Structure formats: C-alpha cells, structure tokens
Amino acid sequence: MTSTPELGKYGVWRLHSAFTPELSQAIESFGYGTIWLGGSPPADLTTTEEILDATETVVVATGIVNIWSDAAADVAQSYHRLEKKHPGRFLLGIGAGHPEATQEYTKPYDALVAYLDELDTAGVPVERRVLAALGPKVLALAADRTAGAHPYLTTPEHTREAREALGPNKILAPEHKVVLESDPQKAREIGRPPVNNPYLHLRNYTNNLNRLGYSDEEIGDGGSDRLIDALVAHGTADAIAGRLQEHLAAGASHVTLHSLPDDADPLETYREIAAALLR
C-alpha cells in the first residue's frame, strides 16, 4: 500500500526557479522536513529531480503544478520517474491557478476533477498528491480525492476552518509569509508589495479574505496594516515561530514558511527560524 510522505512539522516555500542544490542541502541540514517548489514548476519536474538528487531525506513537493499549463499525462510520467528514483520523497501538489492569469480558466472545479481522473488512470496514487485549496468546495474535493490540501496566503483562522472541512487525518499544509524584521513599519514595507501584487487583485484570494472577515476596504490600496500583519509574520525569529505554530494549534499538520523579499538571500532567515522552531 502506498503511504503519504512524512512532511515533518515545518517546511520552506520558494519559487522553483530560485532553488539550487546547495540551498536545498542547507534547508535539509537546518531540520526542515519539506521543500515546496512554488511558481508553477513545469511538468518535466527537472528542478524537483535536481533537489531530490542533492538531498537525502527531505520531502520535495510542488506548490503547485498548474493544471491549465501542464497535461496530467506528462505530470504523471514525471511522478513515476521521480518515485522510481527517490521512492516516497515526492508529493505532487496541483491546482487551478488564477482566473486572471489563464484564458482557459472555465469551470475550474470540473477541470480539477477531470485532471484527478487522468492522474488516477495514469497510476498516480491518491496518497501522493494534494490540492491547492481555499474554499469549501475544493477543500472537500481535496479530502475526497487526494492526501490533503496546500492552502496559500492564509491565516490560522483559515487553517481552523480548513481542518474542519478536510477531516482529522488529511494533510493540511498552509504557506505563511515571513519577514525577519523587528520594526513593524519596515516589515510591512517589505511584506506589502508581494502580497498586494498580485494576490490582492486575484479574486480567489480576495474572496477567501472576505470569507475570513476582511472587508474590501481592508483589501484595497495595498492592504490594511491589520491584513498585512495577518498574512506576513514578522518580528524576531521567536515571534515568527510563534505565529507559525498558531497554524499547528489550529489544525495544520505542516506549515511552510515563505521568506520575503523573494529576491533576497533567505539562508539566514531559514537558519534563525529553524533554530526557534526546532529547539
């Protein structure tokens, strides 16, 4: 029987194009359990393979492969290649992306169902795949057809609701942005731009924030301080660790941190937060 990979409690999310074998080795050495490749990695999953080749035990997951740009058959072929070479260390995260970015974005729920059907036919096990899921309908699909959910741009309050939707035994692995900066104003100056552009202009995220109680006024004009503080943990490593642990207390099985700004060297942030989380 196929088993679900052991993700550990904490992981690192970063654009797939920004990973190197050396960075991946450092992340593994710090004690993180999973590396998440963001930014719609292509179906050949070559970066995934390079990271698996360079590391020994860390799980590598996609966060996420976009169903509109990468055919299920191609993704399945890559899955089987990676599973044969590195058994039990790869988790396939898939999702429907953003309607604003995809001309073909019609009936995304039906498209996800069809994609999962194709993965079934191609022999990709339920236990080795998760869905990018925010709303109740896709969370229910994740619970029914996959090992769980990988929500992006969320809060512990969303995590609590997502756990109720998924049930007790599924993976729930939210992403949370972090800025290692103790001055709140400076931290918001770093965190606000990548949250605002593009996410506060994408309706799947804004609809979710509305569901969580944030008004259109708070979401507009770059996001209120309250919203940015909710979505971007900042402060000392201990303070950030405490915020990430709120997801676990709310029902997450795994939390993956996303260091900002994206173009900065994240190594020291990873090291300091790992020391706070894993001490």
Side-chain angles (χ1 to χ4, degrees), residues 4-11 31-36 58-61 89-91 130 171-173 253-254:
T4 302
E6 292 291 336
L7 304 184
K9 287 186 177 180
Y10 305 105
Y32 294 103
T34 303
I35 290 171
W36 291 84
V58 70
V59 173
V60 182
R89 291 183 57 205
F90 174 58
L91 182 66
V130 294
I171 289 173
L172 177 53
S253 53
H254 172 88

Side-chain angles (χ1 to χ4, degrees), residues 165-184:
L166 287 171
N169 299 319
K170 293 290 184 175
I171 289 173
L172 177 53
E175 172 264 4
H176 203 110
K177 293 172 174 52
V178 306
V179 174
L180 190 61
E181 171 56 63
S182 294
D183 183 314

Side-chain angles (χ1 to χ4, degrees), residues 153 188-189 191-197 199-201 206 209 214-232:
L153 199 75
R188 292 180 193 122
E189 289 173 356
R192 180 172 275 112
V195 169
N196 178 46
N197 184 19
Y199 303 109
L200 298 187
H201 303 275
T206 59
L209 293 172
Y214 295 94
S215 67
D216 290 340
E217 289 74 22
E218 287 184 283
I219 295 170
D221 295 324
S224 68
D225 286 352
R226 183 175 87 98
L227 177 61
I228 298 304
D229 288 349
L231 297 174
V232 183

Side-chain angles (χ1 to χ4, degrees), residues 45-196:
L45 299 179
T46 54
T47 300
T48 306
E49 186 168 10
E50 289 169 359
I51 294 173
L52 287 167
D53 288 345
T55 54
E56 297 180 2
T57 60
V58 70
V59 173
V60 182
T62 52
I64 46 83
V65 170
N66 190 311
I67 67 168
W68 305 107
S69 56
D70 294 288
D74 295 337
V75 174
Q77 187 175 34
S78 295
Y79 165 82
H80 288 298
R81 183 185 82 248
L82 297 179
E83 176 61 19
K84 183 178 181 179
K85 193 174 184 182
H86 297 284
R89 291 183 57 205
F90 174 58
L91 182 66
L92 175 63
I94 65 170
H98 319 302
E100 293 83 354
T102 308
Q103 289 183 340
E104 298 86 355
Y105 197 98
T106 57
K107 297 184 178 179
Y109 181 87
D110 293 343
L112 281 169
V113 170
Y115 202 93
L116 291 169
D117 289 344
E118 291 187 58
L119 292 179
D120 286 342
T121 300
V124 177
V126 168
E127 296 84 2
R128 296 293 177 80
R129 63 200 197 199
V130 294
L131 279 185
L134 291 174
K137 192 173 181 180
V138 180
L139 284 166
L141 181 64
D144 186 46
R145 300 286 306 276
T146 77
H150 172 49
Y152 185 91
L153 199 75
T154 65
T155 65
E157 291 74 23
H158 180 271
T159 294
R160 187 171 293 106
E161 296 176 5
R163 174 52 70 197
E164 292 178 5
L166 287 171
N169 299 319
K170 293 290 184 175
I171 289 173
L172 177 53
E175 172 264 4
H176 203 110
K177 293 172 174 52
V178 306
V179 174
L180 190 61
E181 171 56 63
S182 294
D183 183 314
Q185 183 173 343
K186 290 181 180 178
R188 292 180 193 122
E189 289 173 356
I190 295 169
R192 180 172 275 112
V195 169
N196 178 46

